[in-house]
């Protein structure tokens, strides 16, 4: 896995160097007109439904929905750039004769502050803050009695400082931080005692009595690199790319945590749009499980690459 992530790191730097100026040929050269605040808000809903009546090939009736809300507030002047955004997504799926299942759940807050002392340079002294968690319980379906995740279990916080490059920083940015704090919160007693998401598990005696509770906070200090850019691929087809690479100095230095997302937005008209997305994650602290020899019990299977794909058609409103 380390070799794969090392190769992705190399491709990451190569993609940064290869970013063509043609990405911005359609945009005129930026002109400074004084301090400026810009705010954007967007709400979207994607729905898919399948229904069968006397269908001889068989099938299961189902309906899915995904609600998303995004808001951003950005400030820019001659020397400073401050970008803030919050994103909330929640999706569910209901199939005939089966319980309602969650398909997506995210609350994320970002704040990036940059200072550029020279108008002739595209480099910024920068500080980044990122926080994300989920809103409701997560389950290993069909078992809905034992949550495997909850609100703030886990919760992730990144905060650090470094240098950021951005020719047009709203659309293309590369960030490097030699000192970034990563905090993992597991504010649920059962999950903390089980050592979920990398926290130190509880200590029990031979009879199963609790001696020491599991820790609810795991702190790491390491290197963070991010790259993001937006572009119009074709008319009414926009792409957003975001990748984050993190390695901790103390625990397995060189073992890289990966978070890589690519989203395409296809605009039909002012309200109707389609979206296609891919989200890849790898975190060595998030272990998977496999069935044990004893029925009903599980053994740890180590960390694995996580991949989520999404294709939807729905409505979007800017306000």
């Amino acid at each position: 896995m380390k070799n794969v992530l090392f190769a992705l790191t190399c491709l990451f730097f190569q993609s940064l160097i290869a970013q063509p100026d043609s990405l911005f040929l359609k945009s005129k050269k930026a002109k400074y007109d004084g301090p400026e605040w810009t705010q954007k808000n967007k709400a979207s809903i994607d729905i898919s439904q399948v229904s069968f009546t006397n269908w001889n090939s068989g099938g299961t009736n189902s309906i899915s929905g995904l609600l998303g809300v995004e808001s951003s507030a950005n400030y820019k002047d001659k020397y400073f750039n401050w970008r803030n955004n919050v994103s909330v997504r929640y999706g569910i799926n209901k199939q005939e004769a089966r319980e309602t299942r969650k398909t997506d759940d995210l609350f994320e807050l970002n704040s990036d502050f940059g200072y550029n002392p020279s108008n002739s340079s595209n480099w910024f002294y920068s500080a980044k803050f990122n926080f994300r968690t989920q809103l409701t319980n997560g389950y290993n379906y069909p078992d809905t009695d034992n949550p495997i995740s909850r609100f703030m279990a886990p919760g992730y916080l990144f905060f650090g400082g470094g240098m950021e490059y951005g020719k047009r920083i709203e659309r293309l940015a590369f960030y490097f931080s030699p000192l970034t704090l990563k905090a993992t919160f597991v504010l649920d007693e059962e999950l903390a005692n089980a050592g979920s998401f990398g926290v130190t598990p509880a200590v029990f005696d031979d009879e199963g009595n609790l001696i020491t509770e599991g820790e609810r906070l795991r702190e790491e200090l390491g290197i963070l690199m991010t790259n993001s850019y937006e572009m119009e691929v074709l008319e009414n087809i926009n792409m957003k790319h975001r990748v984050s690479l993190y390695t901790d100095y103390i625990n397995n230095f060189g073992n890289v945590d990966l978070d890589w997302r690519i989203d395409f937005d296809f605009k039909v008209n002012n309200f109707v749009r389609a979206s296609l997305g891919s989200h890849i994650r790898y975190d060595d602290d998030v272990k998977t499980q496999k069935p044990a020899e004893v029925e009903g019990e599980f053994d740890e299977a180590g960390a694995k690459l996580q991949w989520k794909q999404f294709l939807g058609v729905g409505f979007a409103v800017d306000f």
Side-chain angles (χ1 to χ4, degrees):
M1 188 65 202
K2 288 186 178 181
N3 293 333
V4 174
L5 293 176
F6 176 75
L8 285 172
T9 306
C10 295
L11 290 173
F12 169 67
F13 281 111
Q14 183 180 0
S15 68
L16 171 70
I17 297 172
Q19 298 298 328
D21 290 342
S22 60
L23 286 176
F24 309 107
L25 286 179
K26 294 184 179 180
S27 301
K28 296 181 179 180
K29 186 175 181 181
K31 181 180 179 181
Y32 175 71
D33 294 319
E36 179 184 12
W37 273 101
T38 58
Q39 184 172 359
K40 295 181 180 180
N41 302 292
K42 181 178 181 179
S44 62
I45 182 169
D46 295 284
I47 299 176
S48 63
Q49 186 261 346
V50 179
S51 178
F52 301 91
T53 302
N54 301 323
W55 193 254
N56 60 10
S57 297
T60 302
N61 298 339
S62 68
I63 184 170
S64 299
L66 175 63
L67 174 67
V69 178
E70 296 182 14
S71 179
S72 65
N74 303 324
Y75 173 83
K76 185 177 182 180
D77 65 19
K78 189 174 182 180
Y79 299 106
F80 297 96
N81 188 293
W82 187 19
R83 294 165 289 153
N84 306 277
N85 70 77
V86 60
S87 177
V88 179
R89 293 201 313 270
Y90 195 82
I92 57 174
N93 171 269
K94 173 61 178 176
Q95 291 190 16
E96 186 178 7
R98 198 179 74 173
E99 75 280 350
T100 301
R101 299 188 176 187
K102 183 172 66 172
T103 58
D104 202 354
D105 189 358
L106 174 70
F107 174 84
E108 184 171 23
L109 176 66
N110 292 282
S111 183
D112 304 338
F113 183 82
Y115 168 67
N116 183 355
S118 172
N119 289 331
S120 62
S121 173
N122 295 318
W123 286 94
F124 289 77
Y125 296 102
S126 184
K128 280 185 177 290
F129 171 87
N130 170 268
F131 170 78
R132 70 175 186 267
T133 186
Q134 62 190 56
L135 301 176
T136 62
N137 293 350
Y139 299 96
N140 186 13
Y141 296 105
D143 180 7
T144 57
D145 296 324
N146 302 295
I148 60 173
S149 60
R150 295 179 180 269
F151 175 72
M152 287 300 293
Y156 296 101
L157 183 149
F158 289 86
F159 180 72
M163 296 292 295
E164 185 169 23
Y165 172 85
K167 182 176 181 179
R168 299 185 189 275
I169 202 167
E170 303 86 357
R171 303 189 65 185
L172 168 65
F174 167 76
Y175 172 76
F176 173 79
S177 170
L179 289 174
T180 292
L181 169 70
K182 177 185 177 183
T184 303
F185 301 90
V186 183
L187 305 185
D188 178 81
E189 183 178 358
E190 292 185 4
L191 294 174
N193 287 342
S196 301
F197 310 106
V199 298
T200 303
V203 178
F204 298 89
D205 61 21
D206 294 337
E207 297 179 354
N209 298 313
L210 179 65
I211 299 176
T212 305
E213 291 185 348
E215 295 186 2
R216 304 194 180 193
L217 174 64
R218 174 185 172 91
E219 296 175 301
E220 301 174 68
L221 185 66
I223 299 172
L224 175 66
M225 295 178 290
T226 69
N227 176 219
S228 64
Y229 66 86
E230 300 181 18
M231 64 176 293
E232 186 179 28
V233 181
L234 294 170
E235 185 177 0
N236 294 329
I237 301 178
N238 296 308
M239 182 191 71
K240 292 183 180 180
H241 155 87
R242 287 160 293 187
V243 62
S244 171
L245 303 170
Y246 181 83
T247 184
D248 179 43
Y249 283 118
I250 300 174
N251 301 307
N252 296 323
F253 180 76
N255 196 342
V256 180
D257 293 342
L258 168 70
D259 194 299
W260 184 10
R261 180 163 185 160
I262 299 177
D263 295 297
F264 291 88
D265 190 70
F266 305 87
K267 182 179 179 181
V268 179
N269 54 40
N270 291 334
F271 300 102
V272 180
R273 63 100 166 108
S275 57
L276 172 66
S278 172
H279 194 176
I280 296 176
R281 283 181 180 173
Y282 177 82
D283 189 336
D284 192 58
D285 298 322
V286 180
K287 309 299 183 182
T288 58
Q289 294 183 333
K290 61 181 180 180
E293 295 181 358
V294 179
E295 185 176 356
E297 296 185 2
F298 296 87
D299 293 331
E300 187 176 287
K304 293 183 179 180
L305 195 69
Q306 307 169 54
W307 187 18
K308 181 173 69 174
Q309 305 166 68
F310 175 77
L311 173 62
V313 178
F315 304 91
V317 178
D318 296 321
F319 60 96

